[in-house]
Amino acid sequence: MPKSILKIALDLPLDRLFDYLSDGHQVQIGQRVLVPFGRRSLIGIVIAKSNESEFALEKLKAVTQVFSDEPVLDSEALSLLKFSADYYQYPYGQALLSSLPARLRQIAPALTRKQYRYLITPLGQQTDINTLPARQTVVRRVLLALQTQTALTESELDAISSSARKVVKQFVADDWAQSEQVAALVKTLAMAMPEAPALNDEQALALSSIMQTPQQFKAWLLHGITGSGKTEVYMRLMQQILENDDAQVLVLVPEINLTPQLEARFRSRFAQFPLVSLHSHLSEAERLHHWQLAQAGAAKIVIGTRLSIFTPMPNLKLIIIDEEHDSSYKQQDSMRYHARDVALMRAKRLNIPVVLGSATPALETWHNAQNGKYHLLSLNQRAVSAAKLPQIDCIDTTKVNLQQGLTPQLITALKLRLARKEQSLLFINRRGYSPVLLCSACHWIAPCLRCSSRLVVHLGQRKLRCHHCGDEQKIPLQCPSCGNADLHPTGHGTQRLEQTLAQMLPGARIARVDRDSISRKDALLEILEQVHGGAIDILVGTQMLAKGHDFPNLTLVGVIDTDSALHSPDFRASERLFAQLMQVAGRAGRASIAGQVIIQTQFPDHDLFNAIRRQDYVSYANALLLEREQVQFPPYVFTALLRAEANDFALVQKFLRAAFEQARSLSQDVLVYDPVRPQMERLKGMERAHMLMQADGRPALQRLLRNLLLFIRAQPLSARVRWSVDVNPLEF
Ligand code: ADP
Ligand code: ZN
Ligand code: ZN
């Protein structure tokens, strides 16, 4: 008997599959189908075929349509998503569907305009042009071009004639030419790329170590200071793996803004291997097209942000995670996966190597490298022998006279760079003009009405804006609390710093990089090109600038006001600040000119700054790990967070109280903490609280979560609060 019952995953917040009759449709596992659900029609993915259903057959409805595209998810992708959904306690169907490009979630066949090129066949090569009628000029020209060039792309055909594509299709029908799908070219940063340099000893050792077992699961941590040549190691490794039978390589980068640079480097090195990028700045059509090229095995190199970790790649042989410590690998809503952790699971299941690269590995990663779970490879020198490590100075801001928030030392250093025609970067992690608007009489501070946060002054737009919910208000003319007209923008943001510099250093060409100035898709790319072209003297920006960029003529980095992170209640704050500062510091003196870094702080003797001055990740990481072990924080324990929010705080309290009682009764091995309010008690008008669960082992925690979720889903109250589970939460 044919298996006529289909188990189908749907994009619904229910942790189960749904049974439908195939009704004579030929369907494959992993294929997209349309099914009736209540009064709606939904897209589903076929997970299994069966003879059995727990429901009576006559109650089952039939699949209404099968989309003619091949399976969208292969068995490896399906099982990876299943594993991840279980691990992160998220409904499988929602995990599956949200991993797909938007076009595949729409009720339509996935028609993309695939790009083709056309190759001449022996028959076409032998055909004598002179036997063709003279009036068929386009036919003759296309054939001639094919015979002389052997291959033509669609745009080359368009250049011959607007009817050339029609002609070439006839050639294919006549067996004069054959078509071949090609990877799309995406706009990249124009940069001249040098030839591959000879590896230094450390790089060579890293490469040969990994290549000893290229077909085995091993997690490698490539720990190398900025500029030590990690990317060069990735590329050599990719080269060797790619040359091997049809292999595909997946490279993850933390941010979209970093893809163009890396993409340009890879493209110039790997001209022979089709490369696609996958990130959220692509149009829906591009994303689908790139995804399909990866899924078909046509794209050999896939470079993408966290969402690309689930892309089906039939010949995946290597995963590289650049800047593995970056918190943007963690998804902060729906399925709260960490792309690095999923990558490790994927590599393990495929039995392939995975390489994590960073100058400042996440403490979790460092811990695993220490206990032997990961294999440590270190690059301790800058790769370009002339490039020296920058000199780092911390200036005590309590001991000098600040001018508009800048120390005399920093101002002098900036002037020196201008005189020498070198570039500078000022790092300040606050966008806007100033972080607060303060009444000088009664100390009123403009608050956001929807969040427990303060409004940021955006002077250019004459607005106060909340950086958490986006709410905007006009700047009041007088204090709403006491009527005083003397309201001060207090503290410094990127806009104010830009303005200050323009006044202080007339003639300097200044560019600001933050989320407000880079809202357009190519805006950052344009600024980066200007920096490379020498059209900018001073860059002012947020962490957007800290990562990855390589500016040979940049010799000064100034860091302004990062002290708040030193005293943050978040136990990961100092780890993050250290990584950030090491990264910005790494921007200085990447080429032959020595760099200088000036950090302005009230606490120059803080351990963190001592470690930064020595540029000593290892001892700082070890010290932090010791602290974490003493107080039993991750990575020494495993945690999960149950978050809840609602308009009415009483509901949140009731919901979490019930969950708390249940969790306490469910497990002796898991420590369940009393529900508490997060630092942001109110966000976007919602009252928030959470409950932390902590265990020595993962299985106990997973068991508790599964049972707790069964309980929560069965509670009517759960429909009245917004709740979510976060396994291995990064922020709370
Ligand atoms: P990272 O990724 O660790 O920051 P990169 O791979 O970008 O470092 O290398 C930094 C610079 O050093 C680049 O300009 C790169 O071309 C160059 N480089 C890398 N390896 C070598 C080498 N073995 N010899 C000379 N230059 C190198
Ligand atoms: Zn006032
Ligand atoms: Zn707000």
Side-chain angles (χ1 to χ4, degrees):
M1 191 177 120
K3 296 185 171 177
S4 60
I5 294 166
L6 304 177
K7 309 272 174 190
I8 292 179
L10 299 175
D11 191 358
L12 295 171
L14 299 166
D15 200 14
R16 45 166 300 198
L17 299 175
F18 297 84
D19 292 0
Y20 286 88
L21 299 171
S22 65
D23 204 21
H25 287 294
Q26 288 302 313
V27 210
Q28 291 167 265
I29 308 286
Q31 201 160 11
R32 288 196 317 141
V33 293
L34 192 64
V35 298
F37 189 87
R39 273 190 253 150
R40 292 185 290 167
S41 280
L42 295 179
I43 291 281
I45 304 283
V46 180
I47 302 300
K49 303 183 193 183
S50 168
N51 288 322
E52 286 167 23
S53 173
E54 53 184 293
F55 301 99
L57 275 191
E58 55 278 14
K59 289 232 166 127
L60 294 185
K61 293 184 190 157
V63 162
T64 32
Q65 194 179 345
V66 178
F67 293 104
S68 58
D69 34 41
E70 311 96 65
V72 288
L73 292 169
D74 57 26
S75 60
E76 192 257 331
L78 285 175
S79 83
L80 179 69
L81 279 154
K82 171 74 178 137
F83 191 85
S84 305
D86 287 347
Y87 184 90
Y88 291 106
Q89 308 291 335
Y90 195 71
Y92 182 34
Q94 286 189 309
L96 269 186
L97 272 295
S98 60
S99 82
L100 296 177
R103 285 275 163 98
L104 292 177
R105 280 176 267 146
Q106 290 155 9
I107 302 181
L111 296 177
T112 49
R113 233 193 46 69
K114 290 180 178 161
Q115 296 206 10
Y116 290 96
R117 65 179 197 151
Y118 296 87
L119 307 162
I120 191 88
T121 60
L123 188 60
Q125 196 60 265
Q126 287 154 18
T127 304
D128 184 353
I129 299 226
N130 295 315
T131 62
L132 300 171
R135 59 191 161 73
Q136 293 186 355
T137 49
V138 178
V139 175
R140 293 172 69 128
R141 279 165 58 202
V142 172
L143 186 59
L144 181 64
L146 271 175
Q147 286 178 344
T148 46
Q149 283 173 247
T150 70
L152 293 175
T153 63
E154 289 180 319
S155 40
E156 287 170 324
L157 284 165
D158 293 341
I160 295 174
S161 157
S162 58
S163 59
R165 290 199 197 195
K166 226 168 78 195
V167 167
V168 88
K169 287 198 180 118
Q170 188 57 46
F171 285 7
V172 173
D174 295 343
D175 197 26
W176 288 5
Q178 63 192 47
S179 63
E180 182 187 84
Q181 207 179 325
V182 290
L185 285 167
V186 183
K187 181 172 161 52
T188 53
L189 187 66
M191 263 201 299
M193 290 296 161
E195 285 287 284
L199 296 184
N200 62 34
D201 291 349
E202 288 178 329
Q203 287 173 315
L205 180 64
L207 178 65
S208 65
S209 305
I210 301 171
M211 284 312 290
Q212 267 172 17
T213 47
Q215 287 161 349
Q216 240 181 59
F217 167 67
K218 267 193 189 165
W220 299 93
L221 171 59
L222 183 58
H223 172 225
I225 55 171
T226 44
S228 60
K230 294 185 292 297
T231 313
E232 190 57 46
V233 174
Y234 304 155
M235 291 196 291
R236 293 302 176 90
L237 190 59
M238 289 164 69
Q239 180 84 37
Q240 297 196 8
I241 301 266
L242 284 166
E243 278 166 359
N244 223 331
D245 40 64
D246 238 22
Q248 290 178 292
V249 173
L250 174 60
V251 183
L252 296 187
V253 289
E255 271 198 53
I256 299 165
N257 295 320
L258 292 181
T259 51
Q261 252 195 353
L262 206 57
E263 199 178 315
R265 259 177 106 171
F266 287 176
R267 275 194 199 286
S268 69
R269 184 67 68 83
F270 302 113
Q272 72 277 37
F273 297 112
L275 178 156
V276 297
S277 60
L278 278 173
H279 52 72
S280 56
H281 273 187
L282 300 174
S283 70
E284 282 186 8
E286 282 171 324
R287 173 138 181 250
L288 175 61
H289 183 212
H290 291 186
W291 189 89
Q292 285 175 327
L293 288 168
Q295 180 229 30
K300 301 303 174 196
I301 303 173
V302 175
I303 162 168
T305 48
R306 64 168 180 267
L307 57 88
S308 58
I309 188 57
F310 294 111
T311 313
M313 293 175 68
N315 300 312
L316 183 59
K317 293 292 186 305
L318 170 69
I319 305 176
I320 292 170
I321 305 171
D322 193 24
E323 311 286 1
E324 66 84 29
H325 63 278
D326 200 290
S327 56
S328 62
Y329 283 124
K330 172 89 172 170
Q331 169 92 10
Q332 297 290 10
D333 54 22
S334 22
M335 182 162 79
R336 294 164 187 261
Y337 64 92
H338 197 300
R340 183 222 301 133
D341 297 342
V342 176
L344 273 137
M345 298 176 205
R346 190 171 188 183
K348 186 162 187 195
R349 298 155 69 85
L350 285 170
N351 203 22
I352 60 170
V354 53
V355 179
L356 316 180
S358 175
T360 50
L363 284 187
E364 281 82 357
T365 305
W366 187 247
H367 179 57
N368 281 329
Q370 299 297 303
N371 68 21
K373 243 176 107 182
Y374 299 172
H375 305 263
L376 177 64
L377 302 165
S378 302
L379 306 180
N380 295 307
Q381 311 293 324
R382 284 204 157 173
V384 178
S385 48
K388 291 193 205 71
L389 285 176
Q391 158 80 27
I392 300 183
D393 298 312
C394 297
I395 311 289
D396 189 339
T397 50
T398 59
K399 298 221 169 99
V400 294
N401 279 328
L402 294 179
Q403 259 189 66
Q404 292 286 322
L406 300 178
T407 57
Q409 288 90 334
L410 184 54
I411 297 170
T412 308
L414 281 166
K415 287 182 176 159
L416 183 65
R417 293 321 180 290
L418 284 171
R420 284 200 274 180
K421 302 209 176 336
E422 293 168 9
Q423 295 167 315
S424 309
L425 183 161
L426 293 192
F427 173 75
I428 176 165
N429 229 349
R430 269 202 205 115
R431 63 199 168 85
Y433 185 81
S434 76
V436 285
L437 185 68
L438 177 74
C439 168
S440 57
C442 77
H443 301 294
W444 172 86
I445 288 176
C448 176
L449 301 177
R450 306 177 65 215
C451 309
S452 19
S453 67
R454 292 154 171 193
L455 294 174
V456 176
V457 184
H458 285 250
L459 212 56
Q461 298 79 27
R462 306 223 36 90
K463 287 265 165 60
L464 297 175
R465 191 180 295 157
C466 173
H467 285 187
H468 299 280
C469 70
D471 233 25
E472 283 191 345
Q473 292 174 26
K474 283 215 190 93
I475 296 181
L477 296 174
Q478 52 186 24
C479 173
S481 167
C482 75
N484 167 32
D486 197 16
L487 297 177
H488 286 291
T490 305
H492 291 254
T494 47
Q495 290 174 12
R496 187 173 206 168
L497 188 55
E498 183 187 20
Q499 194 189 68
T500 301
L501 291 168
Q503 285 161 1
M504 212 178 264
L505 306 166
R509 296 162 301 171
I510 303 167
R512 173 165 60 90
V513 174
D514 57 30
R515 234 188 306 150
D516 301 311
S517 71
I518 304 295
S519 46
R520 240 176 352 101
K521 185 173 157 184
D522 289 329
L524 180 60
L525 219 56
E526 283 161 20
I527 293 186
L528 294 181
E529 268 166 11
Q530 285 176 9
V531 177
H532 281 285
I536 291 188
D537 302 313
I538 303 176
L539 270 168
V540 173
T542 56
Q543 70 210 1
M544 263 186 160
L545 274 180
K547 297 176 188 173
H549 306 294
D550 194 353
F551 308 116
N553 197 33
L554 196 146
T555 60
L556 173 68
V557 169
V559 175
I560 290 155
D561 202 7
T562 49
D563 286 350
S564 57
L566 294 176
H567 307 109
S568 162
D570 180 347
F571 73 88
R572 284 193 174 86
S574 44
E575 175 187 357
R576 233 173 296 162
L577 179 61
F578 184 84
Q580 222 169 39
L581 292 182
M582 285 294 274
Q583 214 146 34
V584 250
R587 300 306 117 216
R590 297 269 287 180
S592 53
I593 320 167
Q596 183 186 11
V597 178
I598 294 180
I599 299 174
Q600 299 192 167
T601 172
Q602 295 182 34
F603 310 96
D605 297 323
H606 195 284
D607 286 349
L608 188 143
F609 291 125
N610 284 329
I612 291 277
R613 263 197 297 266
R614 286 182 275 119
Q615 304 184 51
D616 183 358
Y617 166 82
V618 172
S619 52
Y620 192 60
N622 289 339
L624 286 183
L625 275 179
L626 201 63
E627 271 175 41
R628 298 259 187 109
E629 188 174 15
Q630 281 161 356
V631 293
Q632 287 294 292
F633 275 159
Y636 295 94
V637 292
F638 299 92
T639 58
L641 200 65
L642 174 64
R643 289 195 177 83
E645 58 178 35
N647 290 323
D648 178 1
F649 186 57
L651 283 178
V652 176
Q653 269 179 312
K654 211 167 146 202
F655 169 85
L656 284 178
R657 185 48 53 182
F660 174 77
E661 302 295 343
Q662 182 69 11
R664 276 273 163 106
S665 72
L666 276 171
S667 174
Q668 274 72 53
D669 311 330
V670 179
L671 192 56
V672 182
Y673 287 93
D674 274 314
V676 292
R677 305 208 71 173
Q679 232 198 329
M680 284 290 281
E681 295 189 354
R682 195 172 349 107
L683 183 66
K684 302 181 189 183
M686 300 290 259
E687 301 293 338
R688 316 162 79 211
H690 63 226
M691 175 179 100
L692 182 68
M693 291 154 277
Q694 172 178 323
D696 292 336
R698 222 189 281 287
L701 188 59
Q702 293 288 341
R703 232 180 357 260
L704 169 70
L705 288 174
R706 257 193 312 278
N707 291 324
L708 181 61
L709 282 184
L710 288 177
F711 168 82
I712 291 177
R713 290 199 173 104
Q715 300 291 306
L717 182 59
S718 306
R720 299 174 60 201
V721 297
R722 249 196 249 155
W723 59 271
S724 63
V725 170
D726 193 346
V727 177
N728 309 334
L730 275 191
E731 277 161 34
F732 47 93

